Amino acid sequence: MRRFITEYGYLAVMTVCLVCCAVLLVSVTTDRPLVAAAETHIPVLRTQTARTEGEHAPESAPEMSGEGSAAQETLSGPGAGYVLTEEYLETALADFLPECFPAADLDVDLEGGLMELSFTMSRGALKDYLKSRGAELSLRQSLFLQMLPRQLEAEAAFALSADEGGLHLAPVTLEVGDRAFDLSGLPADVFSAVDEGLNALLQSAGVSFSSAEFTNEGLLLK
């Protein structure tokens, strides 16, 4: 009896070894790894669906993953929409800004009902951009720009509105080199390049909306 159990034990071990060898052989011949490597995804838009009163929000909303554009998902129910997060904007917006607005090191904050953008830009690029947008600088504004370093850091705060035509930003403040830049006399759409980039990003992601509101998670488009 003991000999019988030993023989069948050896047979079982041999069978397992043969199966493992077969799997390894298939993996080598088809050039496919046994364990798939984790893909690297950029953060993208999240969907938000309406919740009934009294229902608690999940600890972390699921993210739709994709590269270059948001994955598509059918939304239903009143209040459904897309959450536009700071992380997503910082990752993707720079690639959609027009060439005339060569901002780098873009940082985005969504707070206090405003969209705040921090970026670096050369002094010459900023002057050229303002002129290309029809800004007729006063003597004070021109002297202010002339005194700035060639490579500068800027921070702009925008009020935001939305309709079926997209998002629209209106500059509220502009700080260049830690000093406030006077916006008086500048065209209302002087920073329309940011509008263009933001709406091009959302169009590329296949997002349609007619309103927007600030939430704790970011900007809710619906």
Side-chain angles (χ1 to χ4, degrees):
M1 183 66 179
R2 184 175 182 181
R3 179 180 179 183
F4 175 80
I5 295 176
T6 302
E7 289 178 354
Y8 273 89
Y10 287 145
L11 180 60
V13 172
M14 290 177 61
T15 302
V16 172
C17 292
L18 288 174
V19 172
C20 291
C21 290
V23 173
L24 181 60
L25 181 60
V26 171
S27 174
V28 172
T29 55
T30 58
D31 195 26
R32 297 178 62 182
L34 294 177
V35 180
E39 295 181 1
T40 301
H41 295 297
I42 62 172
V44 294
L45 293 172
R46 295 204 307 269
T47 59
Q48 176 170 305
T49 55
R51 292 188 291 270
T52 59
E53 186 176 354
E55 182 180 353
H56 296 290
E59 293 184 1
S60 58
E63 292 190 356
M64 298 189 299
S65 296
E67 188 167 348
S69 63
Q72 300 300 308
E73 179 172 313
T74 302
L75 302 176
S76 60
Y82 291 89
V83 176
L84 193 59
T85 65
E86 295 176 351
E87 183 183 14
Y88 176 60
L89 287 172
E90 291 177 357
T91 304
L93 179 57
D95 293 333
F96 288 86
L97 291 174
E99 293 183 359
C100 63
F101 192 73
D105 303 322
L106 192 66
D107 184 74
V108 181
D109 287 316
L110 301 172
E111 58 182 25
L114 297 174
M115 176 180 290
E116 298 180 358
L117 301 182
S118 301
F119 54 89
T120 59
M121 181 181 289
S122 70
R123 179 184 61 195
L126 180 58
K127 293 172 64 176
D128 292 342
Y129 170 76
L130 292 175
K131 290 182 179 180
S132 70
R133 296 290 156 160
E136 297 181 0
L137 302 180
S138 66
L139 178 61
R140 179 180 179 183
Q141 291 168 329
S142 298
L143 290 175
F144 175 86
L145 290 177
Q146 194 62 34
M147 296 173 61
L148 294 173
R150 292 185 177 181
Q151 193 67 21
L152 50 87
E153 296 181 357
E155 181 176 314
F158 300 90
L160 185 145
S161 61
D163 54 32
E164 294 181 352
L167 292 176
H168 310 286
L169 304 179
V172 177
T173 60
L174 173 62
E175 292 186 1
V176 185
D178 295 329
R179 295 180 59 187
F181 181 81
D182 184 12
L183 293 174
S184 61
L186 299 182
D189 62 347
V190 66
F191 284 103
S192 57
V194 181
D195 295 41
E196 295 170 15
L198 188 55
N199 287 307
L201 167 62
L202 296 176
Q203 183 178 5
S204 175
V207 177
S208 59
F209 59 94
S210 59
S211 64
E213 62 182 76
F214 287 88
T215 69
N216 292 333
E217 292 184 329
L219 186 65
L220 174 60
L221 308 178
K222 56 183 181 179

